[in-house]
Amino acid sequence: MKTKFIGISRVSTQRQMNNGNSVFLQCESIKNYALQNNGELVEIVKVQASGRKQKLNVGQLAETIKKAKKIGASLIVTKVDRLSRDQITLLMLRKASLESNVEVHVTSMNRKLSDISDLEFTLLASMAQEERKLIVSRCRESAKGRIGAIGTTLDPV
């Protein structure tokens, strides 16, 4: 019997959802992983939410986990930070995954969360949160001196 999979593809902004190739690349990676693991891909849930706001007990992530448990499916994501960029949420997700038997596969690592040690996963979750801080910092720095629409600045050219 084939393993059932539900994929999760998350991007942060509406622009990335509509125009970027990130969603497409994540979906391709998810499809390939399911195929390589002799699985049946039931669906791919496409989420547009900030990694900071992606929480375990609300929204599409919570609904996807409930659905996976109900139909006996595992989840597939391309990277841990596609689930969330909040360390506590990621640690809670791992615990919920282990307790509910809803396995989470990470394509970039070719591993399941249950195969990752507590120490390693804590480090991965911490790095995902730290990367979020760096992204915010870079965005703020690039926006200095800007007024109005993107591209309009106070700085002389």
Side-chain angles (χ1 to χ4, degrees):
M1 188 168 128
K2 289 187 171 188
T3 302
K4 291 181 183 176
F5 288 113
I6 296 175
I8 299 176
S9 169
R10 182 190 66 79
V11 293
S12 299
T13 67
Q14 189 64 42
R15 194 183 98 208
Q16 289 172 318
M17 181 66 84
N18 294 334
N19 300 327
N21 59 4
S22 179
V23 171
F24 173 77
L25 294 174
Q26 288 179 58
C27 290
E28 288 302 304
S29 180
I30 288 166
K31 290 173 188 175
N32 289 335
Y33 186 91
L35 186 65
Q36 290 168 359
N37 288 278
N38 194 32
E40 173 192 349
L41 187 59
V42 177
E43 73 175 300
I44 297 177
V45 177
K46 297 174 185 171
V47 179
Q48 184 271 304
S50 164
R52 177 180 57 83
K53 295 178 182 174
Q54 182 83 331
K55 302 292 184 188
L56 177 63
N57 54 352
V58 295
Q60 289 176 294
L61 182 56
E63 292 303 314
T64 303
I65 292 168
K66 285 179 192 173
K67 182 175 184 176
K69 184 170 177 68
K70 183 177 180 180
I71 67 171
S74 293
L75 302 178
I76 305 176
V77 296
T78 56
K79 297 187 325 183
V80 171
D81 67 14
R82 296 299 83 205
L83 293 169
S84 178
R85 285 195 185 269
D86 178 72
Q87 182 178 14
I88 300 301
T89 297
L90 288 170
L91 294 172
M92 288 171 47
L93 173 71
R94 182 169 188 269
K95 182 178 182 190
S97 169
L98 296 172
E99 290 175 354
S100 69
N101 293 321
V102 173
E103 190 61 79
V104 180
H105 297 252
V106 183
T107 67
S108 64
M109 300 174 74
N110 198 29
R111 294 169 73 187
K112 301 180 277 187
L113 291 190
S114 63
D115 294 337
I116 300 172
S117 72
D118 290 343
L119 176 62
E120 184 182 1
F121 191 77
T122 301
L123 289 170
L124 289 169
S126 180
M127 288 189 303
Q129 182 168 301
E130 190 61 28
E131 177 62 19
R132 176 179 56 85
K133 290 177 187 175
L134 293 171
I135 291 167
V136 168
S137 175
R138 287 191 303 264
C139 289
R140 284 188 180 143
E141 186 62 31
S142 69
K144 280 186 179 176
R146 184 173 26 152
I147 58 171
I150 293 176
T152 306
T153 66
L154 295 174
D155 301 327
V157 182

